[in-house]
Amino acid sequence: MPPPPPDATLFQRRRPLTATELSVIPWLKLLLPEERDRAVEDLKISDAHSGEYICRTGRPVTYWFGVVDGLLKMSTDNAEGQTMTFTGIPPGGWFGEGTALKREAYRYNIQALRKSMVAGLHVDTFHWLLDHSIGFNRFVMKQLNERLGQFIAAREIDRMSNPDIRVARSLAALFNPVLYPGLGAVLRITQQELAYLVGLSRQRVNEALTTLAAQGAIAVEYGGLRVVNLQALRSGAF
DNA sequence: TCATTAAATTGTT
DNA sequence: AACAATTTAATGA
């Protein structure tokens, strides 16, 4: 992992989003024109360097975040000081709605696993959308529900001993079609990044990926991988 | 556009 | 943790 840079204040150098970047945001399509205009006007985007924190535990919530490009990691520090990784967040993923809803402080850390582009919607606009848009409410509700399921799954993954299955389940979580729509069959993630995410050595991840590929669940490519059989990844039937 | 070089990533030990 | 092999990205003619 690259050296943790000094606490960066995100969105200091904001800029308007391009059409391509907007197309990656899944919930924009669910809004009415008027709602959409307001959201787009408020949206900000910023680069997050590898290792940089997007938000930290205890910080007040100012933005609801989404990944436009790159890969983020969601984790918490437990009482013993150990870091527990919940999940990775690929492009198209949005997070922080739970805390944004209650205007509480963040309960977890979000760190960039590699250079990423992160979009932000101010909490005030987030609440305005909640008050005005049915489509937005549906999105947030679905998202919360799905996230809950994912947290429970993450606990199971952490208790699993077999590394092959751990890697498989973690990958399946990354390809969650509800949380991360628009993410195709290919995911740009290096084996090193995946190792940080799953909490295994790169060697072991490499070995697991080879096994999974041999069973036809995935196809390993340079700098990424392709999911061939998502069901097999989920069930561990390989 | 192509050839060369550097950097990143992978597969093994 | 270290190594060699492979792939991609960057550079400049």
Side-chain angles (χ1 to χ4, degrees):
Chain A
M1 189 78 73
D7 222 351
T9 314
L10 214 64
F11 301 131
Q12 269 187 342
R13 283 197 312 243
R14 63 188 69 165
R15 59 173 173 81
L17 280 75
T18 68
T20 315
E21 288 159 0
L22 288 175
S23 71
V24 183
I25 301 174
W27 47 267
L28 275 181
K29 322 183 202 334
L30 308 175
L31 306 184
L32 299 175
E34 178 210 357
E35 301 159 354
R36 187 190 145 93
D37 288 347
R38 181 145 178 172
V40 169
E41 194 182 343
D42 181 64
L43 274 171
K44 300 162 188 70
I45 196 164
S46 174
D47 285 317
H49 295 143
S50 183
E52 188 174 339
Y53 282 91
I54 314 304
C55 58
R56 286 176 190 273
T57 311
R59 291 291 189 78
V61 174
T62 16
Y63 290 99
W64 182 49
F65 292 109
V67 183
V68 172
D69 187 48
L71 186 67
L72 308 184
K73 182 176 95 169
M74 182 184 285
S75 64
T76 59
D77 298 319
N78 64 23
E80 294 91 57
Q82 290 281 311
T83 301
M84 181 181 187
T85 300
F86 277 126
T87 181
I89 306 167
W94 284 73
F95 56 90
E97 62 280 344
T99 36
L101 264 173
K102 292 175 280 188
R103 292 181 184 271
E104 284 178 342
Y106 291 112
R107 292 203 210 118
Y108 39 72
N109 299 314
I110 301 284
Q111 192 180 20
L113 278 175
R114 65 163 173 264
K115 194 174 187 305
S116 304
M117 281 202 289
V118 180
L121 187 75
H122 196 92
V123 271
D124 293 341
T125 312
F126 177 83
H127 274 92
W128 185 88
L129 282 171
L130 281 180
D131 289 341
H132 292 81
S133 170
I134 303 266
F136 191 75
N137 275 277
R138 280 211 198 91
F139 178 87
V140 172
M141 206 178 291
K142 225 165 99 180
Q143 172 110 349
L144 279 169
N145 188 44
E146 198 67 28
R147 185 87 68 202
L148 180 64
Q150 202 175 43
F151 278 149
I152 293 170
R155 288 197 53 157
E156 289 175 3
I157 290 174
D158 261 339
R159 291 172 189 213
M160 263 183 290
S161 47
N162 185 336
D164 288 1
I165 297 182
R166 280 188 61 153
V167 172
R169 292 274 175 93
S170 299
L171 279 178
L174 281 178
F175 280 93
N176 183 319
V178 175
L179 287 176
Y180 316 120
L183 188 67
V186 285
L187 177 64
R188 287 269 309 169
I189 185 173
T190 66
Q191 300 179 4
Q192 180 66 78
E193 288 164 350
L194 193 55
Y196 282 132
L197 210 58
V198 183
L200 296 170
S201 69
R202 187 177 71 79
Q203 293 96 308
R204 195 57 191 81
V205 167
N206 178 273
E207 203 181 324
L209 289 180
T210 307
T211 306
L212 294 179
Q215 303 298 328
I218 62 169
V220 180
E221 296 172 7
Y222 184 87
L225 53 89
R226 173 187 307 273
V227 170
V228 179
N229 188 343
L230 183 55
Q231 196 50 49
L233 277 184
R234 286 220 186 84
S235 61
F238 42 79

